[in-house]
């Protein structure tokens, strides 16, 4: 699973609980995109979550 290179956000795990209270494994995936980012004057491709993109923590190349 990909993780955000800026904040480290990744997938979370837990239980999906049905109406009859039976439990099965569930995974919540973060909204992570592969983006070209400006790093030290050059462009580098990295995984970044959309909350970091929208907040301006990263500048696109």
């Amino acid at each position: 699973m990909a993780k955000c290179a800026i904040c480290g956000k990744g997938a979370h795990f837990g239980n999906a609980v049905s109406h009859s209270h039976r439990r099965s494994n569930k995974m919540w995936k973060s909204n992570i995109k592969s983006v070209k980012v400006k790093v030290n004057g050059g462009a580098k491709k990295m995984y970044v979550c959309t909350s970091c993109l929208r907040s301006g923590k990263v500048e696109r190349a």
Side-chain angles (χ1 to χ4, degrees), residues 2-7 32-40 42-49 53 57-59:
K3 278 193 172 183
C4 178
I6 307 303
C7 65
I32 295 179
K33 306 291 181 193
S34 180
V35 179
K36 277 188 177 178
V37 177
K38 283 185 184 175
V39 178
N40 298 332
K44 186 178 178 185
K45 206 169 191 183
M46 50 176 50
Y47 290 109
V48 181
C49 67
L53 285 171
K57 293 180 182 176
V58 180
E59 189 177 351

Side-chain angles (χ1 to χ4, degrees), residues 2-42:
K3 278 193 172 183
C4 178
I6 307 303
C7 65
K9 189 186 285 186
H12 293 92
F13 302 93
N15 290 320
V17 183
S18 71
H19 177 69
S20 63
H21 213 66
R22 290 177 65 101
R23 294 183 177 101
S24 59
N25 295 331
K26 181 168 172 58
M27 188 159 100
W28 287 270
K29 294 179 183 171
S30 301
N31 195 359
I32 295 179
K33 306 291 181 193
S34 180
V35 179
K36 277 188 177 178
V37 177
K38 283 185 184 175
V39 178
N40 298 332

